[in-house]
Amino acid sequence: MKIDEFIKKVNDRDGMGAEEVHKLIVFGPEHHRPIYQMPFDATNFIEIDTWATSNSLYWKKPDREYLSALIEEFLHTPIKERFPEKKYRLRWIDDNDDYGFANYFDCYHGKWSLVFKEDAKQYTQQGLDELKKINPHLAPAIDAMKELVEED
């Protein structure tokens, strides 16, 4: 289970909240101070810090079982698989986006076109490698245009 997936599943449950803080996942009762902190690289329950004296004060048994199962699944995920994949866009012109120029490249069904930033396709590294395999003569340009998508 990826870090962002764990956080989403905790947040989707009524009465629970989680977020990422300084390479830790902090979680606890929704709208309260977190009572647990789990390092991104934790591999067992002993590495999870807690400030709770009794979990039954915060959640009923089904909620505790749900959270326990999520934690166990996360801890059994290899550390390298926990991190979300980075996404990239292909930026053609390194210019200010405020001028309204279409300065990103996309490839749809083998056809290349210029698009605006908000319409630009996001590629994983695997997707970019596939593009380079299909278009080996464009591989240097693809590497040069690769721009990391910053998460908002």
Side-chain angles (χ1 to χ4, degrees):
M1 176 183 303
K2 295 188 182 302
I3 293 165
D4 54 350
E5 181 184 359
F6 178 87
I7 291 170
K8 182 182 181 327
K9 286 183 177 185
V10 171
N11 288 330
D12 285 347
R13 185 80 172 203
D14 285 340
M16 294 183 184
E19 63 183 326
E20 176 183 326
V21 178
H22 304 296
K23 297 187 180 183
L24 298 168
I25 301 172
V26 295
F27 53 101
E30 190 177 38
H31 308 301
H32 290 83
R33 183 170 7 136
I35 58 174
Y36 297 101
Q37 70 178 28
M38 180 170 57
F40 288 171
D41 62 352
T43 57
N44 58 65
F45 277 91
I46 295 171
E47 294 177 79
I48 302 171
D49 289 329
T50 182
W51 297 277
T53 54
S54 174
N55 294 322
S56 60
L57 296 173
Y58 303 104
W59 300 298
K60 297 194 180 313
K61 186 172 179 144
D63 295 323
R64 294 191 309 264
E65 289 172 347
Y66 173 81
L67 186 57
S68 179
L70 279 181
I71 293 169
E72 189 158 337
E73 182 180 347
F74 180 81
L75 294 175
H76 282 96
T77 302
I79 293 170
K80 288 182 179 180
E81 293 177 19
R82 294 179 185 176
F83 297 91
E85 286 188 76
K86 292 181 181 178
K87 302 281 184 163
Y88 302 95
R89 286 189 283 261
L90 297 176
R91 188 175 183 124
W92 172 244
I93 303 168
D94 194 14
D95 197 4
N96 189 338
D97 295 323
D98 295 336
Y99 294 117
F101 296 123
N103 57 0
Y104 288 83
F105 256 124
D106 275 337
C107 182
Y108 290 101
H109 304 294
K111 298 189 188 269
W112 290 87
S113 60
L114 281 170
V115 297
F116 295 101
K117 182 178 186 175
E118 59 272 5
D119 300 324
K121 183 175 178 183
Q122 295 182 9
Y123 299 91
T124 62
Q125 184 60 51
Q126 181 180 358
L128 291 176
D129 292 342
E130 187 65 30
L131 275 180
K132 291 190 288 188
K133 187 190 290 184
I134 294 167
N135 305 285
H137 59 288
L138 294 178
I142 291 170
D143 287 335
M145 291 188 295
K146 183 168 85 170
E147 174 185 81
L148 183 64
V149 174
E150 298 294 328
E151 296 295 325
D152 296 330

